[in-house]
Amino acid sequence: MNNKLKTPEVEQLFDAILTLKDNDECHAFFEDICTINELVSLSQRFEVAKMLRQKKTYLDIAEKTGASTATISRVNRSLNYGNDGYDMAFERLKIVDK
């Protein structure tokens, strides 16, 4: 993990997220802590990552998600050179490359 993220405040936030028990609790928490645009952006990045793992083209991804090519490129860089966080989540959610 990036050392800039290893602050007591970030750790406390992550600890709070880990206490959430179900989708309803996640909705309540994230609607309080994030703006609608922030939530849409996070979910868009997750969808972009999924589509990149499925070998979709940037054009297909941009058309389906509305993400810019800069966002798609940034997510692709995270998939290829990041901490494998997306892949860990995909595996646990049983989202496979298709």
Side-chain angles (χ1 to χ4, degrees):
M1 178 187 291
N2 185 330
N3 284 335
K4 291 180 183 178
L5 290 177
K6 288 194 174 192
T7 66
E9 296 82 9
V10 171
E11 293 302 314
Q12 183 177 357
L13 173 63
F14 289 169
D15 288 342
I17 291 168
L18 290 171
T19 69
L20 302 173
K21 294 181 176 89
D22 56 32
N23 277 356
D24 288 338
E25 288 187 6
C26 284
H27 277 276
F29 180 80
F30 282 97
E31 284 181 34
D32 283 351
I33 202 166
C34 295
T35 65
I36 291 171
N37 286 340
E38 289 168 337
L39 277 173
V40 168
S41 292
L42 289 171
S43 63
Q44 181 187 65
R45 288 182 202 141
F46 195 74
E47 183 66 17
V48 166
K50 183 176 80 172
M51 292 180 75
L52 284 166
R53 280 294 184 241
Q54 294 170 340
K55 306 296 186 208
K56 304 290 184 191
T57 67
Y58 275 35
L59 181 60
D60 287 340
I61 295 168
E63 286 177 356
K64 179 168 187 307
T65 66
S68 69
T69 55
T71 295
I72 298 168
S73 180
R74 195 172 319 117
V75 171
N76 194 41
R77 189 170 42 253
S78 292
L79 285 170
N80 292 316
Y81 304 106
N83 295 306
D84 298 324
Y86 283 113
D87 289 329
M88 182 180 5
F90 294 152
E91 182 178 320
R92 290 179 183 171
L93 290 171
K94 308 291 188 236
I95 297 174
V96 296
D97 300 339
K98 291 184 180 182

